[in-house]
Amino acid sequence: MTQPSLSLVDTDPAELAVDAIVIGLHSQPDEGGALLPAAGAESITAAFDGKLTSTLALLGASGAPGEVTKLATLGTIAAPLVIAVGLGDEPSGSAPDPETLRRGTGAAVRALAGSGTVALALPLPDDEDAPAVLRAILEGALLGSYKFAGYKTKPQPNRRDPVAALQVHVPDAGDAAAAAEVTRAEVVARAVRLTRDWVNTPPNLLRPPQFADAVVAAAEGTGLTVEVLDFDQLKAGGYGGIVAVGQGSEAPPRLVKLSYVPEGVESPKRVALVGKGITFDTGGISIKPAAGMWEMKSDMAGAAAVGATMLAVAALKPGVAVSAYLAMAENMPSGTAYRPGDVITMFNGKRAEVYNTDAEGRMVLADAIARACADGTDYVFETSTLTGGQVIALGKRIAGLMGSDDAVERVRAAGAEVGEPAWPMPLPDEVRKGMESDIADISQTNSNLDRAGHMLQGGIFLREFVADGVEWAHIDIAGPSYHTGEPSGYWSKGGTGVPIRTLLSVIDQLG
Ligand code: BES
Ligand code: MN
Ligand code: ZN
């Protein structure tokens, strides 16, 4: 579904002839929780002649973050509807924190599905925080309007289409920095929305060849260089991990590489992005239980995220050389499937002994990481729905983060800033010891199939395939890449697009 149009306005919000206006609402803990309209809502508050907060309170508003309260304006202002979104306690500074605004804006715009044009009159500080706050509002609005198109064959009578047009109130609609934020938000949101679409696509419709074709089609005309390796080329090229996992499926594996080189930058820093693209993970011969297996259609979320990040990179043109490696395979049990006990030679020549075919992600990533290092890079940022252990340890919002100090700190800091938290985890020697193999260089999991340090075993395995001197980070997004509950904030059900905004921020910082 297409993204809403986005524009800046500096007309008095009370005079905007739109279908609805979004304002922010705080509670004041020192005043017994009394409501306080957020900055930006002044003229609307004035038009209600002292009755705005009392009416919102009557309607049950409390100012809690993400709460949405709709109020008919009955001619007090030009727009027929005000929607107040809770932004939590009155902020100590000039504006609430960006993530609170990003989530609140997302919730408000989603609640307004069915409206044509919506204006946002939300708090914007006039200090150095202004760009980050505006960015949060713009991203929240564009991502909150996302809805997967789906496959229903009959028109839905009560269906409300996402908001078509967004107008964001700013002090000066002609400001060049604000206009640049609009352009950036449109690019970033398009990447996130495309990733959500890919993740939400059923696994019968997005098997490795189709996924590769979709990525190639999306990259067309962007200026990115594209390389696709098919099954025969992967076999001939020594990509033992991708071949092992992919050989059990009738739909053969692919390795897709996308590259961007900045113009006019002499010896730019080189960044490699690597993503796990298992279009469906049955577990293979070590088959998974039936319950919830369907969710493994999202096991390509890492590859989707790094592919879409490249589309944003091509548009934003940072001063860094960036390549992405998308390792695509379908993990199926069959007469040609790889088995527990197999010893597989990876792209960098290292041999791994397989204990559990359900640990397939690290098999395909080992090749992709080794290939990225062979091509030459300063950094590897790899992201994957790698372990259930990540979800157990950190839950559904916070990614697991492992790797070398500099790369880990870059991802941690960027993730915290953009609202995609990632928590640094250790790579302990004793966990590596548990992965000694009697007959190969490393075993793919703890050789006793002991789940202690489950998430860490994944990071430790991948470390073997990073070349010396390369800074690297592994971002385990098993939880945060896929949202199973009801829509909340700027997250819809299904794919979230994590960690695209983190990767873009890390790349920005390196440029
Ligand atoms: N794709 C799964 C991990 C996963 C689990 C992602 C839940 C999202 C939600 C991965 O391939 C897997 O099966 N991992 C195994 C590893 C084990 C066999 C060492 C796991 O987590 O149990
Ligand atoms: Mn698996
Ligand atoms: Zn998997």
Side-chain angles (χ1 to χ4, degrees):
M1 222 161 273
T2 52
Q3 177 158 301
S5 68
L6 186 59
S7 55
L8 300 174
V9 289
D10 50 18
T11 318
D12 177 356
E15 286 167 17
L16 282 172
V18 293
D19 298 312
I21 296 208
V22 177
I23 61 168
L25 193 62
H26 294 296
S27 60
Q28 301 172 93
D30 297 342
E31 310 284 333
L35 298 175
L36 176 73
E42 292 80 3
S43 68
I44 292 168
T45 309
F48 274 80
D49 203 13
K51 295 195 196 69
L52 180 64
T53 51
S54 56
T55 309
L56 287 168
L58 274 175
L59 291 168
S62 72
E67 167 196 87
V68 157
T69 309
K70 289 181 179 176
L71 174 60
T73 63
L74 307 176
T76 48
I77 61 170
L81 185 66
V82 159
I83 175 161
V85 62
L87 297 176
D89 290 350
E90 183 184 7
S92 45
S94 51
D97 86 283
E99 181 62 8
T100 302
L101 262 173
R102 195 182 283 109
R103 292 188 192 187
T105 309
V109 170
R110 181 156 18 75
L112 285 166
S115 310
T117 302
V118 168
L120 308 176
L122 289 165
L124 274 174
D126 53 7
D127 53 23
E128 72 278 2
D129 292 340
V133 173
L134 179 60
R135 185 176 290 189
I137 292 172
L138 300 175
E139 289 176 351
L142 291 178
L143 298 179
S145 74
Y146 172 84
K147 190 169 174 11
F148 185 55
Y151 302 90
K152 289 186 188 290
T153 54
K154 293 204 180 81
Q156 300 297 296
N158 297 321
R159 186 192 164 92
R160 297 183 305 147
D161 283 329
V163 168
L166 292 160
Q167 300 181 359
V168 180
H169 187 266
V170 290
D172 174 10
D175 181 59
E181 287 296 337
V182 170
T183 307
R184 186 183 191 282
E186 287 178 330
V187 166
V188 171
R190 219 172 277 131
V192 172
R193 296 165 65 103
L194 180 60
T195 293
R196 291 181 179 182
D197 277 347
W198 280 337
V199 170
N200 294 337
T201 300
N204 60 325
L205 302 181
L206 199 82
R207 299 177 89 191
Q210 288 143 301
F211 187 19
D213 288 350
V215 171
V216 171
E220 210 166 298
T222 59
L224 295 172
T225 308
V226 180
E227 177 189 342
V228 181
L229 298 185
D230 65 18
F231 199 20
D232 289 337
Q233 290 165 314
L234 289 165
K235 277 193 240 176
Y239 297 86
I242 300 176
V243 167
V245 176
Q247 73 192 21
S249 170
E250 277 176 35
R254 296 279 188 269
L255 178 65
V256 177
K257 177 183 178 186
L258 303 172
S259 334
Y260 159 84
V261 180
E263 267 170 42
V265 184
E266 225 177 283
S267 40
K269 290 211 184 85
R270 296 163 304 170
V271 167
L273 309 176
V274 176
K276 169 176 172 181
I278 300 298
T279 61
F280 195 67
D281 181 12
T282 65
I285 296 298
S286 316
I287 199 162
K288 287 180 182 294
M293 194 202 276
W294 66 273
E295 261 183 41
M296 286 300 115
K297 70 173 186 173
S298 68
D299 213 17
M300 32 57 74
V306 305
T309 297
M310 290 306 294
L311 302 175
V313 162
L316 299 172
K317 303 197 188 316
V320 186
V322 191
S323 293
Y325 300 81
L326 289 67
M328 301 174 181
E330 188 180 43
N331 191 21
M332 296 290 258
S334 77
T336 58
Y338 83 131
R339 353 160 162 60
D342 283 1
V343 170
I344 305 296
T345 305
M346 305 297 193
F347 184 78
N348 70 348
K350 280 202 184 169
R351 296 202 170 125
E353 185 177 10
V354 175
Y355 279 95
N356 186 324
T357 61
D358 198 9
E360 82 298 337
R362 61 199 71 181
M363 302 295 290
V364 303
L365 291 167
D367 283 339
I369 290 172
R371 166 69 198 275
C373 292
D375 287 350
T377 189
D378 301 310
Y379 288 88
V380 169
F381 297 102
E382 171 276 320
T383 187
S384 46
T385 46
L386 202 69
T387 67
Q390 181 277 314
V391 189
I392 303 297
L394 295 170
K396 299 277 299 172
R397 189 102 205 182
I398 303 176
L401 178 57
M402 285 141 272
S404 57
D405 294 346
D406 175 65
V408 161
E409 176 51 23
R410 286 178 184 278
V411 172
R412 190 207 59 75
E417 187 190 289
V418 306
E420 294 178 341
W423 201 256
M425 305 296 287
L427 297 169
D429 289 344
E430 65 274 13
V431 177
R432 173 66 183 84
K433 285 205 187 84
M435 296 171 71
E436 283 302 324
S437 161
D438 286 343
I439 58 171
D441 299 318
I442 186 169
S443 68
Q444 172 215 31
T445 66
N446 184 301
S447 33
N448 300 313
L449 292 181
D450 180 349
R451 290 169 75 87
H454 191 199
M455 163 173 40
L456 316 180
Q457 292 180 28
I460 284 171
F461 184 86
L462 295 175
R463 181 176 61 187
E464 300 284 321
F465 303 92
V466 180
D468 287 345
V470 174
E471 281 285 337
W472 69 287
H474 158 55
I475 313 169
D476 191 336
I477 52 167
S481 62
Y482 195 78
H483 180 59
T484 39
E486 286 308 303
S488 115
Y490 54 90
W491 276 10
S492 40
K493 256 188 186 177
T496 61
V498 171
I500 293 174
R501 292 181 302 108
T502 301
L503 296 173
L504 288 172
S505 170
V506 166
I507 290 166
D508 260 357
Q509 299 286 325
L510 283 168

